[in-house]
Amino acid sequence: MQLPRPTLTHLRGLAIAAVIANIAIVVTGGAVRLTGSGLGCPTWPRCTEQSFVAHQELGINGAIEFGNRMLTFVVGIVVALCWLAAMRYQPRRRDLRWLSGILVLGVPAQAVMGGLTVLSHLDPWVVGLHFMVSPVLVVVAVVFARHTRETGGPATRTVPAPVRGLAIGTLATTFVVMYVGTIVTGSGPHAGDLTARRNGIDPATISQFHADVVFLLVGLTIGALVAFRATSAPARAQRAALVLLLTEIGQGLVGFVQYFTGLPAVLVGIHLAGATLTVAAATWLVLGTRRLTAPAGTTDVENSAEAEDDAAGRRDRFGSPTQPARQSG
C-alpha cells in the first residue's frame, strides 16, 4: 500500500515542529548549564567510560545532562521527518529538500560540538561555539517553515533593496548580540560545573559592551519598522518588525534585571529562551522583504494570499495603492 503524498499543510506542521524542537534544545541545554550539570555525564559519546546511559551514582546532574542528550534524538527524528516529507512532496521542491537536508545535517554537527564541550571540560570558548550552532539551525527551520507557505518560484523583493539590506543587517546584528552574550556568560558564574574555568574577561566590561550592541540592534529594528512603513512594505513585514522590537524590549528588561539581581538561574534561563525567539523574529523580518512567486502556469492559494497581503501593505492611509518594489535579489 502506497502512502499518500505529503501536502504543503503536512510540511508546514513538520516545519513548525522543527522550529519548536530547535528552540527546545537550546532551553534544555541552558538548563544543563544553569544547574551545574555540564559534566553530569563526564565523557562523550558515552555518558561514562563504562556506559552510554546515566547511572544513579551520577545523581540529578547526570540525569539532566543525559536527558539533554536524549532530546537530540527527538530533534533528529523531527527533522528527519521534515526531510522525508520534502523528498516525497510533488511537484519537486529543491528549496524544501535543501533546507530540510541542512536541518538533518545540523543534528550530528550539534552533537559533535556538544561532545567537544564535554571533552574540553566546558572550555567557555568551545561552549560558546556549541551554542551558536543552535541559532543557525533556528534560522534554517524558520526559513523552511516560511517556504512551506509559498510555491517554489523565483524570489522577488517586496521592498527597495536598501530596506532589505537594513533587515539583513538587523539579523546579522542579532547574531553578534548572541555571540557577545556567550562571552558574557563565559565570564560569569554559570560555568555548567563547579570546576569549569572562566574566560578571564571582566564581567562588567563585557556586559556593558553587550548592552551597547543590544542598543544598536534596537535602533536598527526601529529603523526597519519606520522604513517598512515609509515604503509600504507588506503587512506581514511590518508585523514582523513590531514583534521583533517587542521581543527585544522584553529581552532587555530581563537582561537588566538579571544583571542587577546577581544572575539568578531562572532569569538567565528565560533570557536564553528569549534569545532564540529573537533570532526567529529577526529571521521572519528578513523573510518579509521577499516573496517566492508561483511558477508560470501554476496557481496556489497560499501565494494568492501572499499577494493580497503585499497589496494591503502597499496601500497608504487613504486606501490608494502604491507601486510595489519588485525586483529579484
Side-chain angles (χ1 to χ4, degrees), residues 84-106:
L84 288 172
M87 293 297 290
R88 297 187 67 249
Y89 178 76
Q90 292 295 333
R92 179 176 177 177
R93 289 279 301 273
R94 189 167 68 171
D95 57 330
L96 297 178
R97 294 185 175 192
W98 272 100
L99 289 167
S100 59
I102 293 172
L103 289 175
V104 169
L105 294 176

Side-chain angles (χ1 to χ4, degrees), residues 155-176:
T156 57
R157 282 190 286 105
T158 58
V159 296
V163 177
R164 177 168 167 78
L166 176 60
I168 293 173
T170 302
L171 176 59
T173 305
T174 303
F175 270 84
V176 175

Side-chain angles (χ1 to χ4, degrees), residues 8 69 99 104 121 139 171 188 216 218-220 267 282 284 293 304 314 319 325-326:
L8 279 181
R69 292 188 183 190
L99 289 167
V104 169
H121 299 285
V139 168
L171 176 59
L216 172 62
V218 172
L220 289 173
L267 286 181
W284 204 256
T293 56
S304 297
R314 292 194 302 272
R326 288 283 188 265

Side-chain angles (χ1 to χ4, degrees), residues 9-240:
T9 301
H10 296 143
L11 277 166
R12 190 173 309 132
L14 290 170
I16 293 172
V19 173
I20 295 173
N22 278 284
I23 291 176
I25 197 73
V26 174
V27 175
T28 59
V32 169
R33 186 164 189 168
L34 294 170
T35 57
S37 305
L39 294 177
C41 286
T43 189
W44 187 87
R46 294 174 181 264
C47 183
T48 67
E49 294 294 344
Q50 295 77 31
S51 175
F52 280 98
V53 301
H55 293 298
Q56 187 174 0
E57 291 79 4
L58 296 175
I60 185 63
N61 290 338
I64 293 173
E65 163 65 2
F66 183 72
N68 185 61
R69 292 188 183 190
M70 290 300 98
L71 185 59
T72 300
F73 290 98
V74 176
V75 177
I77 291 171
V78 171
V79 298
L81 290 174
C82 289
W83 179 77
L84 288 172
M87 293 297 290
R88 297 187 67 249
Y89 178 76
Q90 292 295 333
R92 179 176 177 177
R93 289 279 301 273
R94 189 167 68 171
D95 57 330
L96 297 178
R97 294 185 175 192
W98 272 100
L99 289 167
S100 59
I102 293 172
L103 289 175
V104 169
L105 294 176
V107 173
Q110 184 71 298
V112 170
M113 287 301 301
L116 291 177
T117 64
V118 173
L119 297 177
S120 68
H121 299 285
L122 304 184
D123 180 280
W125 300 105
V126 179
V127 172
L129 291 177
H130 172 46
F131 172 77
M132 290 305 296
V133 175
S134 290
V136 172
L137 295 178
V138 169
V139 168
V140 177
V142 171
V143 174
F144 179 64
R146 179 65 206 174
H147 277 232
T148 64
R149 298 187 62 86
E150 302 170 302
T151 54
T156 57
R157 282 190 286 105
T158 58
V159 296
V163 177
R164 177 168 167 78
L166 176 60
I168 293 173
T170 302
L171 176 59
T173 305
T174 303
F175 270 84
V176 175
V177 168
M178 295 194 72
Y179 182 67
V180 176
T182 68
I183 301 177
V184 173
T185 303
S187 70
H190 298 296
D193 187 80
L194 294 177
T195 63
R197 69 181 181 86
R198 304 289 72 216
N199 58 27
I201 298 176
D202 177 59
T205 300
I206 192 62
S207 294
Q208 180 60 59
F209 179 64
H210 181 58
D212 293 339
V213 183
V214 169
F215 286 133
L216 172 62
L217 176 61
V218 172
L220 289 173
T221 304
I222 293 174
L225 182 60
V226 172
F228 284 174
R229 182 62 180 170
T231 57
S232 299
R236 59 188 172 88
Q238 298 184 40
R239 288 193 299 269

